[in-house]
């Protein structure tokens, strides 16, 4: 089946979930005339991308409080600008996969002499488009088509052979008590990125605060800086600063 058909089916699944409130694997397989195995793969991929939540035997839509209301592109660009401002020329950095981390890349245009390692093909391709193209390193490893990134032990071992000034890592959720969390169960690579960097910078929208996703990615003692947006409230910032995390709140272009 083509990628186009897969995308159309997954859009249809989302529409049906929003209409019904929940749907079983059996119902979805009948509705979209495909196997239950295919539907389970769809639901896993869509949950990994933060589009829905799995439930035993089916799925439900993402709760309204977890849906980003503000234009994500504008917020992500603001966070990307603030994160890129931390990077001087000739820095050695590692960038994890993710749409928010990728928003940094256009802001690196004026940086010189960077060495950048990434596990993300999207990040790598964006880096190659820069006029001042940095020295690009790839982790290699096992290709994960759901996240369009390399994962696994080979990638972790490659990372351990290097050291970096900063690691830039995204997050699907911000648990103010535990740390950053993710839908991705393969969290080992992000932890290795933190291990091999002198400073760890997490990029995440303020709308992700309160997402208590089971997969803990980085506890707060392993995070130096959180770059988020102006939507983060003062009490949350204070709570993080007490834990030793520097908080940078990026202003969007529409902010007053």
């Amino acid at each position: 089946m083509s990628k186009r058909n897969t995308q159309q089916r997954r859009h249809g699944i989302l529409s049906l979930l929003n209409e019904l409130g929940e749907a079983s694997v059996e119902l979805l397989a009948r509705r979209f005339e495909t196997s239950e195995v295919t539907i389970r793969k769809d639901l896993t991929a869509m949950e990994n991308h933060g589009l829905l939540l799995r439930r035993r035997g089916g799925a439900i839509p993402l709760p309204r409080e977890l849906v980003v209301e503000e234009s994500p592109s504008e917020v992500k660009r603001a966070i990307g600008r603030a994160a890129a401002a931390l990077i001087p020329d000739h820095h050695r950095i590692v960038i994890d996969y993710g749409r928010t981390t990728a928003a940094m890349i256009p802001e690196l245009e004026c940086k010189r002499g960077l060495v950048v390692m990434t596990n993300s093909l999207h990040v790598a391709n964006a880096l190659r488009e820069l006029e001042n193209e940095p020295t690009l390193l790839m982790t290699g490893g096992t290709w994960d088509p759901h996240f369009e990134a390399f994962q696994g032990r080979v990638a972790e071992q490659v990372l351990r052979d290097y050291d970096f000034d900063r690691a830039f890592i995204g997050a699907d959720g911000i648990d103010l008590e535990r740390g950053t969390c993710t839908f991705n169960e393969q969290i080992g690579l992000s932890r290795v990125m933190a291990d091999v960097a002198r400073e760890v910078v997490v990029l995440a929208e303020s709308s992700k605060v309160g997402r208590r996703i089971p997969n803990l990615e980085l506890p707060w003692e392993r995070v130096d800086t959180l770059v988020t947006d102006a939507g983060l409230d003062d009490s949350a910032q204070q709570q993080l600063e007490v834990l030793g995390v520097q908080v940078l709140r990026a202003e969007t272009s529409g902010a007053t």
Side-chain angles (χ1 to χ4, degrees):
M1 180 171 289
S2 71
K3 289 185 177 180
R4 181 178 179 182
N5 288 338
T6 298
Q7 291 171 352
Q8 289 175 339
R9 184 177 63 251
R10 291 177 181 176
H11 282 303
I13 290 172
L14 277 182
S15 297
L16 191 62
L17 284 176
N18 289 328
E19 176 185 344
L20 301 179
E22 64 178 326
S24 68
V25 170
E26 182 181 3
L27 183 151
L28 292 171
R30 290 200 310 270
R31 179 66 64 93
F32 295 100
E33 299 180 342
T34 188
S35 70
E36 292 187 7
V37 171
T38 296
I39 292 297
R40 289 191 182 96
K41 289 180 180 179
D42 286 338
L43 298 182
T44 297
M46 293 164 74
E47 183 178 53
N48 286 340
H49 283 86
L51 299 175
L52 52 76
L53 293 178
R54 294 290 304 275
R55 289 293 182 265
R56 186 173 181 83
I60 62 173
L62 199 66
R64 184 175 300 276
E65 62 268 20
L66 298 188
V67 177
V68 178
E69 298 295 341
E70 188 175 357
S71 170
S73 59
E74 181 182 351
V75 172
K76 289 180 192 297
R77 285 196 299 267
I79 293 173
R81 285 193 297 271
L86 299 172
I87 304 172
D89 291 345
H90 307 290
H91 226 41
R92 295 170 58 86
I93 63 176
V94 57
I95 302 176
D96 200 4
Y97 80 94
R99 289 175 293 176
T100 309
T101 51
M104 296 172 51
I105 307 306
E107 307 300 326
L108 302 181
E109 183 71 66
C110 62
K111 311 290 183 179
R112 297 183 179 277
L114 295 182
V115 176
V116 184
M117 176 173 275
T118 186
N119 63 328
S120 165
L121 191 60
H122 177 67
V123 169
N125 288 334
L127 287 166
R128 293 180 59 212
E129 297 298 321
L130 298 179
E131 184 174 346
N132 292 324
E133 184 178 341
T135 299
L136 175 61
L137 305 171
M138 296 293 295
T139 63
T142 302
W143 177 250
D144 187 332
H146 298 317
F147 296 96
E148 298 186 335
F150 293 101
Q151 310 272 10
R153 293 186 178 181
V154 171
E156 293 173 16
Q157 185 56 54
V158 169
L159 269 169
R160 292 192 188 280
D161 290 335
Y162 292 85
D163 64 273
F164 299 93
D165 297 299
R166 283 187 174 92
F168 293 88
I169 300 173
D172 295 314
I174 298 293
D175 187 324
L176 292 175
E177 296 178 358
R178 296 191 305 154
T180 69
C181 42
T182 179
F183 291 108
N184 187 358
E185 294 183 355
Q186 299 189 54
I187 54 181
L189 194 63
S190 297
R191 292 177 176 175
V192 175
M193 288 181 178
D195 287 343
V196 299
R198 285 187 282 277
E199 182 176 343
V200 176
V201 181
V202 170
L203 287 68
E205 298 98 319
S206 64
S207 60
K208 294 180 178 179
V209 173
R211 289 190 184 184
R212 301 177 65 87
I213 301 166
N215 300 321
L216 179 66
E217 187 174 28
L218 295 174
W220 290 121
E221 57 264 27
R222 300 184 68 181
V223 177
D224 296 286
T225 303
L226 170 67
V227 183
T228 185
D229 57 81
L232 185 73
D233 62 51
D234 292 340
S235 62
Q237 178 170 346
Q238 291 167 4
Q239 186 172 341
L240 291 172
E241 289 175 342
V242 167
L243 294 172
V245 179
Q246 178 187 17
V247 178
L248 302 178
R249 295 195 288 189
E251 295 285 348
T252 59
S253 59
T256 57

